[in-house]
Amino acid sequence: MAASVVVLAAAPIAKPNCPDRCGDVKIPYPFGTRKGCYLDPFYFINCTDDNSNKTLQPIHGNVVVRSISLDGHFEFSGYPASECYKNVNSIFYRITTFDSISYTQNVFVAVGCDTIAYLNGTKNGRNFSMGCMSVCQDSNDVVNGSCLGIGCCQVEIPRGLWDFTIEARSFSGHKEVWKFNPCSNAFIVKKDAFNFSTKYLHALYTNNSSFPMVVNWGIGIETCKIARSKSDFPCRGNSKCYDDFVDYNGYRCRCNPGYVGNQTSPMVAKIPRRE
Ligand SMILES: *[C@@H]1O[C@H](CO)[C@@H](O)[C@H](O)[C@H]1NC(C)=O
Ligand SMILES: *[C@@H]1O[C@H](CO)[C@@H](O)[C@H](O)[C@H]1NC(C)=O
Ligand SMILES: *[C@@H]1O[C@H](CO)[C@@H](O)[C@H](O)[C@H]1NC(C)=O
Ligand SMILES: *[C@@H]1O[C@H](CO)[C@@H](O)[C@H](O)[C@H]1NC(C)=O
Ligand SMILES: *[C@@H]1O[C@H](CO)[C@@H](O)[C@H](O)[C@H]1NC(C)=O
Ligand SMILES: *[C@@H]1O[C@H](CO)[C@@H](O)[C@H](O)[C@H]1NC(C)=O
Ligand SMILES: *[C@@H]1O[C@H](CO)[C@@H](O)[C@H](O)[C@H]1NC(C)=O
Ligand SMILES: *[C@@H]1O[C@H](CO)[C@@H](O)[C@H](O)[C@H]1NC(C)=O
Ligand SMILES: *[C@@H]1O[C@H](CO)[C@@H](O)[C@H](O)[C@H]1NC(C)=O
């Protein structure tokens, strides 16, 4: 039926009368770009062309969003933590922080030849610190496409950690390697989205490179059981509430099989997905 195809194509992912995209990026509810379009201020997306490209970009907090998926992940451009030596006396230093990242979909990567990188996080009020190191002396020893400890190292991210702080440091001020590697860098990146090469030793920081990373989002920082008793409980109609205290710290709504859309409204959620 042609008519139903049209309806399906227009299946609302945003609230009625709300923009459902920003540039190329779809903006599904609970996210929104205008007042009245998002669930609460956490889900506000600033759709702005105030950047060097003059193109519309969705900004959440201070990061550029690359995509949002209703399974509770969004992908954004993350900048590395760095420690850089302009010369022996001039050091630039930046750490980065994240609340909640997907431990299954990202890895932690450090780039440098005089580099120790930390991934610090917390769990149950206790601090954890992990990371990796890479020391090398000559850029000819570095192998493009390989991140096994020479110029580049990586580790998996343990499950259940929160409040990440990333820090990159050097052992000896990049003195010996400064010509080809002035900086230590560390970042979290979507698996398989980073292909190391020597150019990153030279210019990762100078180019202001960013990398895609997968961040968790959910609806509320509480259990379904508690949320369900509230009048503004959003998982209604053909959707179910589920707890995720592993990759997130609260609950999300998920459409029942065969349904997509505005999960607070049975009317909209009833639109069947066409496979
Ligand atoms: C869902 O859709 C219904 C009907 O179109 C609308 O009244 C309601 O405000 C929407 N809810 C959200 C949270 O978008
Ligand atoms: C959105 O971002 C622009 C550019 O950075 C800024 O001028 C504006 O104040 C922001 N809007 C809101 C509502 O935060
Ligand atoms: C500018 O646009 C290009 C192509 O859309 C994109 O790859 C690049 O990341 C953008 N740069 C900035 C600073 O937004
Ligand atoms: C955990 O680390 C933070 C930041 O480094 C620090 O402020 C806090 O005191 C530490 N907590 C414990 C229990 O050591
Ligand atoms: C990360 O953890 C290491 C080891 O505990 C500590 O030396 C470092 O100061 C921590 N970095 C930050 C930014 O908290
Ligand atoms: C990574 O880059 C190397 C060369 O620098 C290339 O041979 C390899 O195919 C690339 N791998 C991926 C997965 O893109
Ligand atoms: C590694 O890749 C860089 C560009 O990313 C290139 O300049 C360099 O020659 C490559 N090295 C080798 C050994 O292929
Ligand atoms: C840095 O930018 C230059 C010029 O745009 C480009 O040729 C080079 O590949 C970039 N290097 C990295 C590490 O992104
Ligand atoms: C890197 O790019 C981001 C986004 O365009 C910008 O906010 C930031 O100021 C840039 N940093 C540097 C050091 O140029």
Side-chain angles (χ1 to χ4, degrees), residues 139-140 142-145 196-200:
S139 63
N140 291 319
V142 168
V143 182
N144 285 344
F196 175 66
S197 89
T198 48
K199 70 176 184 182
Y200 291 110

Side-chain angles (χ1 to χ4, degrees), residues 26 32 36 77 80 82 89 97 111 122 124 158 192 198 209 234 237 261:
K26 285 187 186 147
S77 299
S82 300
N89 301 315
T97 59
V111 169
T122 67
N124 301 329
D192 302 324
T198 48
S209 305

Side-chain angles (χ1 to χ4, degrees), residues 3-180:
S4 80
V5 173
V6 172
V7 171
L8 290 169
I13 58 163
K15 277 183 102 166
N17 304 319
C18 288
D20 65 354
R21 52 178 58 232
C22 174
D24 295 336
V25 180
K26 285 187 186 147
I27 310 292
Y29 188 80
F31 294 88
T33 56
R34 288 195 209 137
K35 220 170 180 172
C37 291
Y38 46 84
L39 178 65
D40 68 49
F42 173 82
Y43 301 99
F44 169 61
I45 300 284
N46 189 347
C47 186
T48 172
D49 63 0
D50 187 9
N51 53 55
S52 51
N53 272 357
K54 293 285 163 221
T55 51
L56 283 179
Q57 284 187 329
I59 311 290
H60 183 259
N62 53 6
V63 299
V64 179
V65 177
R66 296 183 182 216
S67 71
I68 300 176
S69 80
L70 286 174
D71 71 357
H73 296 106
F74 62 127
E75 214 176 290
F76 65 57
S77 299
Y79 289 90
S82 300
E83 183 189 78
C84 289
Y85 290 81
K86 284 182 189 143
N87 55 53
V88 184
N89 301 315
S90 165
I91 168 175
F92 170 88
Y93 171 56
R94 161 172 79 185
I95 62 172
T96 55
T97 59
F98 305 99
D99 292 341
S100 173
I101 56 175
S102 169
Y103 74 97
T104 51
Q105 296 186 51
N106 297 298
V107 284
F108 175 74
V109 172
V111 169
C113 269
D114 179 28
T115 296
I116 178 159
Y118 301 97
L119 175 65
N120 297 353
T122 67
K123 186 179 183 176
N124 301 329
R126 291 193 293 278
N127 288 338
F128 293 80
S129 184
M130 60 227 78
C132 63
M133 55 172 278
S134 159
V135 174
C136 36
Q137 295 184 308
D138 191 322
S139 63
N140 291 319
D141 294 329
V142 168
V143 182
N144 285 344
S146 151
C147 187
L148 296 172
I150 300 180
C152 179
C153 61
Q154 61 184 356
V155 291
E156 297 273 326
I157 296 163
R159 91 181 224 181
L161 291 194
W162 278 75
D163 296 329
F164 292 93
T165 306
I166 297 172
E167 182 177 14
R169 290 296 199 174
S170 85
F171 288 103
S172 54
H174 287 255
K175 281 190 197 73
E176 304 203 348
V177 298
W178 186 83
K179 281 206 176 86
F180 70 92

Side-chain angles (χ1 to χ4, degrees), residues 12-16 29-30 36-37 39 234 262-269:
I13 58 163
K15 277 183 102 166
Y29 188 80
C37 291
L39 178 65
N262 168 344
Q263 295 162 338
T264 70
S265 151
M267 214 175 71
V268 179

